[in-house]
Amino acid sequence: MEGADRKAKGASDLGVRAASAVVMLAVAGAAIWLGGWVLTAFIVAVGAAGFWEFSRLASAGFTGGARLAWTVFGAVYLALAVFVLVSVSVQSISWLALIISAVIAVDVFAYFFGRSIGGPKIAPRISPSKTWAGLAGGTVGAALAVVLNSQVPRWICEWREPASGYVHGGFATGCGPYWQPQAGDYAALIGVGLLIAVVAQSGDFLESWLKRRAGVKDSSKLIPGHGGVLDRIDGLVAVSLLVGIYLLVTAPQIFGFS
C-alpha cells in the first residue's frame, strides 16, 4: 500500500508540474508575442519576484552585515539582468530569443547527458545532480542554440525571398545580412557554448548554495510543482549578464550608450 501511495503521489506531482509548465509557457509566450510594454512589465515582474525570493534566502542564510551585503548583491544582480532583458527586447528581439533558447538548451541537454551518462559530480555538496557529463551536454545545447538563432531567420528569408542573396555578416533583423558559419567557425561555437553552459550552471550553483545556507529545498512555493521563480530563472539571470557585457562592448547603442 505504501508503494502504491508513493506512485500515486508521484503521478499527482507530475500532473501539477505539467500544468504549471503549460501555464508558465503560455504566459511567457503571450508576453513575448505581444511585446512592447506587456513584455517589459512581464520581465520586471519576474525580476521583482526573483529578488523577493533572493532576499528571503539571504535573510534565512545570513545575519548582520552579511545579510545586508547579500540582499544588496541580489538587488543589483537581478536589476542588471532585468535591464539587459528589457533593453534587448526593445532594441533587438533576436537577442532575447538567443538568451532564452540558449538557457533552455543548456538545461535540457545537461539533464539528458547527465541522466544517460552520469559520472563524476561537479560540486556534490552544492548541487548533487550536476555532473561533468551534464556540463558537456549543456555546451552542445548552447552551441546548437547559437547556430539555430543565427540561421533560422536566414532560412526563412531564403524561403520567402530566394533571389535576395546574403553575405557574411552578423546578427541582424530583416532579410540579411546573416552570419553563415564557415568550417573554422565551429570550434569557436563550441567555445561559446562552453562559456554559456558554464555561466548558466554557475547561476544555478549560486542559487543552490544560497538555498543550502537557508536550509530550504526551493526558493519559494510560488509555482506549484516547480518551487520558486528564482528556481526557474537562475541560469537565465547569469547568461543575461554575460550577453549584456558582450553587447556593452560590441553594441552599446542597445543600452542607450553612443
Side-chain angles (χ1 to χ4, degrees):
M1 286 297 293
E2 187 176 335
D5 289 342
R6 278 200 299 267
K7 287 183 180 180
K9 185 178 186 301
S12 175
D13 289 344
L14 181 61
V16 171
R17 285 179 62 85
S20 295
V22 169
V23 172
M24 284 190 291
L25 288 172
V27 173
I32 293 171
W33 177 262
L34 292 171
W37 70 267
V38 175
L39 179 54
T40 297
F42 174 73
I43 294 171
V44 171
V46 170
F51 172 65
W52 174 71
E53 293 174 349
F54 195 106
S55 63
R56 290 176 74 244
L57 294 178
S59 295
F62 302 93
T63 59
R67 175 188 296 174
L68 176 61
W70 275 103
T71 302
V72 171
F73 170 79
V76 174
Y77 182 58
L78 284 152
L80 286 174
V82 167
F83 175 67
V84 171
L85 292 171
V86 169
S87 297
V88 298
S89 69
V90 171
Q91 298 294 330
S92 178
I93 198 70
S94 61
W95 281 104
L96 182 64
L98 173 63
I99 293 170
I100 294 173
S101 61
V103 173
I104 292 174
V106 168
D107 286 346
V108 171
F109 277 71
Y111 175 81
F112 282 107
F113 273 56
R115 289 294 293 265
S116 59
I117 298 174
K121 311 290 185 182
I122 298 175
R125 290 187 178 183
I126 299 175
S127 184
S129 64
K130 295 291 187 298
T131 63
W132 290 103
L135 178 60
T139 299
V140 172
L144 287 174
V146 172
V147 172
L148 289 174
N149 274 273
S150 67
Q151 297 305 294
V152 167
R154 179 171 67 86
W155 295 336
I156 293 173
C157 285
E158 287 179 343
W159 172 67
R160 291 172 53 195
E161 303 176 24
S164 58
Y166 302 91
V167 297
H168 190 279
F171 286 95
T173 56
C175 284
Y178 288 96
W179 176 47
Q180 300 184 60
Q182 308 300 309
D185 292 330
Y186 289 98
L189 282 171
I190 293 173
V192 171
L194 177 60
L195 180 59
I196 292 174
V198 167
V199 170
Q201 295 211 352
S202 295
D204 191 313
F205 279 128
L206 172 61
E207 197 225 358
S208 294
W209 179 75
L210 287 171
K211 287 191 293 186
R212 285 190 174 275
R213 287 278 311 193
V216 296
K217 181 177 180 293
D218 300 313
S219 57
S220 77
K221 303 295 183 185
L222 285 178
I223 307 174
H226 290 266
V229 171
L230 200 58
D231 294 319
R232 301 276 65 83
I233 66 169
D234 46 10
L236 180 66
V237 171
V239 172
S240 297
L241 296 183
L242 172 67
V243 172
I245 292 170
Y246 173 78
L247 291 176
L248 187 61
V249 174
T250 61
Q253 66 276 10
I254 287 180
F255 304 115
F257 305 122
S258 56

